Amino acid sequence: MNREAFLEAFRLLSRLDRELIAITANSMHFALASTLIAAALGIPLGVILAFREFPGRRLIVAATHTLMGLPTVVAGLLVFSFLSRSGPLGWLGLMYTPAAVIIGQAFLALPIVLSLVYSGLTRLEPELIETLITLGATPLQRTLKIVREGRIVVASAALTAFGRVVGEVGTAMMLGGNIRWYTRTITTAIALETQRGAFALSVALGVVLMIVSFGVNFGLNYMVRFRTAP
Amino acid sequence: MTGLITIRDLLFSYPGSPPLLSVKELSLDQGRIAVLIGDNGCGKTTLLKVMAGLLTPGAGTVTRSADPLVLVHQKPSLFTESVGANVAWPLKIRRIPRREIRKRLDAALEMVGLEHLENRWAPSLSGGEKQRAAIARALILNPAVLLLDEPTSNIDAPSVETIERVLRVLAAEGTTVIMSTHNLASAYRLADRLLPMVRGSLVPSHENVLRGRALDPGEEHIGRFQLEEGPVIYCPAARGTFTRAVIRMEDIILSAGEMVSSAQNHLAGTVATVLAEDSELVRIELDCGFPLDAVVTHRSVDELELKRGSTVYATFKASAVALY
């Protein structure tokens, strides 16, 4: 890698190179879609887990905590075995499409959202749920109010999940296949283009990814501070 | 008269723990204020939650013939939104028309003296204001029964005064109020009925709480208290507004004839009821023109031959009277 590559990288960034933008857009698209799916499933499940007593609850909580650290390639492998031509869902023809990447990343994001929503909501005032009951709220009205009261918790859970999937490479590579203009993401591009000597693009993408990561962390920090404010 | 809430043979415990509550019988009447008093951990909060239906008893029955029935927790648990949005919420989820919500919101806020804070962010209120907002959020539903857990603890004096006034107004309008408190002065001022609790059970109150007003002592060293339905009794001299005289039942001496003693208060009365409390003590309910209870031993009952209709004299020192 030489000085020339760095200069070229900043040239790519400064003139908003078309391919650079397309790859970044793919990454954002996949991460946002998978986070949304994970949030749609994980928030209501987290509320149920936090406030409903049912057999097996402890086990589910423990399993969810464990799955937060699921290696990305294992998630990729799992989804791969379902979506590949010979797999049970092979007939859908989803392998090496954006949909496959989104499904894989949703698998990574779900335990994060679920676990953080659960642990955040259990730390809300225990009187809150009793207050909602005594004021005559229906179960649905209670759930909506709890999510509203825990909005910072819920938003930071989603942001954490987004941060994890936007920077992961395992499932995006295995399920998307790094197809140019189609499923190539920031991480797969960096991993593969570097080997082919396309340093400039890799460096430029690396800068973009770092800006995104810093942004996510800055957002999380801001929310934590807001949460602990008097 | 059957009560709005009736409890019979209630037992409550958390799984794997010794019984926390054991209440043989309790019946609460409409439009009255009942005040639970007792040490920390004696089960006041648990009893309120059982009455509110938030906890299910292990045995016994709780009958509620009142709706709605709302519990205001010790921690006000306001939502993170404006005061107005908080107070209006119970009506909003019931799809009450907006104009009616407006009307009832104004009335509820005015009642607790928060009308000027309607648009304030609830988490920024002071402790007393939060408690008042939580009470407004409950009373906007026009509850038949209002349960309150320590509504006057750890808050500023003006808020305590406001809350006591609100509870009196609600009771006068027919709401049954049941509250717990540590604040004995507040309990004496409010209670139509005192419910002392010891280790999860209701025990008979050993205090006479008499309504009336303290007369200005002027230059005297001894004070006088005009009972609402009876004579004037002597009490310590104190300036200020006092509406309750509290006399411990153990401090009342009963005698067959009039006693000559240093005690200032001598009242003639008739025995209305003789009630054995346990193997040691007997409660004597007297009619002295107003109801007055004394607690004596079984031995004294035998010696004085106390029975329904006997004439006795009740004697107590002025200093045995506490004013609230």
Side-chain angles (χ1 to χ4, degrees):
Chain A
M1 204 152 68
N2 50 37
R3 196 164 147 256
E4 201 46 42
F6 275 100
L7 288 176
E8 177 60 17
F10 284 98
R11 235 170 275 139
L12 289 174
L13 282 169
S14 60
R15 68 176 151 87
L16 299 175
D17 178 71
R18 204 162 74 86
E19 182 158 24
L20 181 82
I21 296 299
I23 293 171
T24 305
N26 271 351
S27 268
M28 292 299 143
H29 169 198
F30 301 161
L32 270 178
S34 57
T35 305
L36 279 179
I37 293 170
L41 292 171
I43 294 168
L45 286 176
V47 173
I48 292 171
L49 218 49
F51 296 108
R52 280 278 157 81
E53 284 290 343
F54 56 87
R57 194 181 80 147
R58 305 256 99 219
L59 197 71
I60 294 176
V61 171
T64 310
H65 278 309
T66 312
L67 285 176
M68 275 179 90
L70 184 69
T72 59
V73 284
V74 175
L77 187 62
L78 194 76
V79 178
F80 186 95
S81 63
F82 275 88
L83 294 186
S84 68
R85 213 164 286 280
S86 55
L89 297 174
W91 53 274
L92 288 170
L94 289 179
M95 267 316 285
Y96 305 122
T97 65
V101 181
I102 290 169
I103 293 170
Q105 293 189 338
F107 261 92
L108 291 173
L110 181 61
I112 296 172
V113 173
L114 185 50
S115 179
L116 293 182
V117 166
Y118 163 80
S119 56
L121 291 186
T122 47
R123 259 178 267 129
L124 284 180
E125 286 178 15
E127 288 89 355
L128 176 65
I129 188 113
E130 287 188 345
T131 298
L132 298 176
I133 294 172
T134 189
L135 291 175
T138 64
L140 178 65
Q141 288 167 337
R142 297 204 292 259
T143 307
L144 293 176
K145 197 68 181 171
I146 287 163
V147 171
R148 211 189 109 84
E149 285 301 299
R151 54 195 180 263
I152 305 283
V153 163
V154 170
S156 49
L159 199 54
T160 307
F162 177 84
R164 160 117 155 127
V165 295
V166 81
E168 73 85 28
V169 60
T171 59
M173 186 80 83
M174 290 177 72
L175 303 169
N178 190 39
I179 301 166
R180 197 176 182 195
W181 305 112
Y182 188 46
T183 58
R184 180 168 293 176
T185 66
I186 296 179
T187 53
T188 62
I190 293 174
L192 293 181
E193 298 312 285
T194 309
Q195 289 174 7
R196 300 199 320 164
F199 291 130
L201 184 59
S202 291
V203 171
L205 287 169
V207 170
V208 172
L209 188 57
M210 271 168 59
I211 291 171
V212 172
S213 298
F214 283 146
V216 167
N217 279 304
F218 183 79
L220 281 173
N221 246 318
Y222 178 77
M223 283 200 251
V224 168
R225 208 157 347 125
F226 186 78
R227 214 160 98 194
T228 50
Chain B
M1 183 172 172
T2 52
L4 277 189
I5 296 186
T6 310
I7 291 177
R8 236 175 265 288
D9 301 321
L10 171 86
L11 284 176
F12 178 87
S13 60
Y14 287 106
S17 319
L20 214 62
L21 268 189
S22 160
V23 177
K24 237 173 121 53
E25 206 194 335
L26 177 64
S27 173
L28 296 158
D29 299 335
Q30 200 208 332
R32 294 296 171 84
I33 302 180
V35 181
L36 292 163
I37 50 175
D39 293 340
N40 262 337
C42 71
K44 302 188 296 284
T45 301
T46 311
L47 181 56
L48 286 172
K49 285 187 180 178
V50 169
M51 289 199 254
L54 292 170
L55 295 174
T56 314
T61 54
V62 180
T63 326
R64 301 178 197 85
S65 54
D67 189 61
L69 179 151
V70 185
L71 170 67
V72 179
H73 286 80
Q74 176 170 14
K75 222 170 153 195
S77 253
L78 293 180
F79 311 136
T80 44
E81 53 195 1
S82 75
V83 173
N86 263 283
V87 177
W89 191 75
L91 298 184
K92 224 169 108 192
I93 58 170
R94 285 170 172 78
R95 299 178 196 285
I96 306 280
R98 197 174 298 181
R99 277 188 51 202
E100 197 189 331
I101 293 185
R102 184 71 254 168
K103 230 175 63 197
R104 284 166 70 175
L105 174 62
D106 287 342
L109 287 175
E110 202 195 319
M111 190 147 180
V112 300
L114 288 181
E115 61 274 34
H116 58 295
L117 295 180
E118 183 186 334
N119 297 317
R120 269 278 286 281
W121 185 241
S124 72
L125 295 180
S126 76
E129 289 163 345
K130 277 183 183 159
Q131 192 58 257
R132 284 188 276 155
I135 290 173
R137 185 174 60 182
L139 66 84
I140 200 167
L141 286 169
N142 300 326
V145 177
L146 184 60
L147 305 161
L148 306 108
D149 192 11
E150 302 272 0
T152 54
S153 295
N154 311 320
I155 59 175
D156 56 291
S159 285
V160 172
E161 211 171 287
T162 306
I163 289 171
E164 287 182 6
R165 181 176 48 74
V166 168
L167 297 182
R168 259 187 230 113
V169 170
L170 287 176
E173 287 171 353
T175 301
T176 302
V177 177
I178 305 151
M179 60 176 269
S180 69
T181 190
H182 266 108
N183 184 340
L184 274 183
S186 187
Y188 292 136
R189 282 193 299 262
L190 281 173
D192 291 306
R193 189 168 166 198
L194 276 180
L195 300 171
M197 284 187 82
V198 175
R199 273 176 267 110
S201 298
L202 293 171
V203 294
S205 169
H206 276 195
E207 272 149 353
N208 288 287
V209 181
L210 306 173
R211 292 154 179 261
R213 67 194 167 84
L215 305 174
D216 191 329
E219 296 302 310
E220 301 274 330
H221 291 297
I222 192 160
R224 286 173 310 145
F225 187 86
Q226 172 68 58
L227 295 176
E228 208 172 77
E229 39 184 329
V232 170
I233 58 172
Y234 293 100
C235 61
R239 240 171 274 274
T241 315
F242 297 98
T243 57
R244 297 289 186 277
V246 177
I247 309 155
R248 283 160 38 113
M249 294 178 190
E250 290 89 343
D251 290 343
I252 296 175
I253 296 168
L254 298 185
S255 57
E258 201 165 352
M259 277 200 336
V260 180
S261 74
S262 65
Q264 293 293 326
N265 292 296
H266 306 279
L267 300 160
T270 353
V271 175
T273 341
V274 178
L275 210 73
E277 268 184 6
D278 50 38
S279 59
E280 194 189 342
L281 296 176
V282 183
R283 175 193 293 243
I284 310 290
E285 296 182 3
L286 297 176
D287 179 3
C288 302
F290 64 98
L292 186 73
D293 295 2
V295 171
V296 295
T297 57
H298 281 277
R299 196 182 143 130
S300 305
V301 172
D302 294 341
E303 280 174 7
L304 292 172
E305 293 173 7
L306 292 175
K307 55 178 188 291
R308 193 182 150 81
S310 344
T311 303
V312 286
Y313 289 85
T315 303
F316 52 94
K317 296 169 78 164
S319 60
V321 179
L323 296 182
Y324 291 95

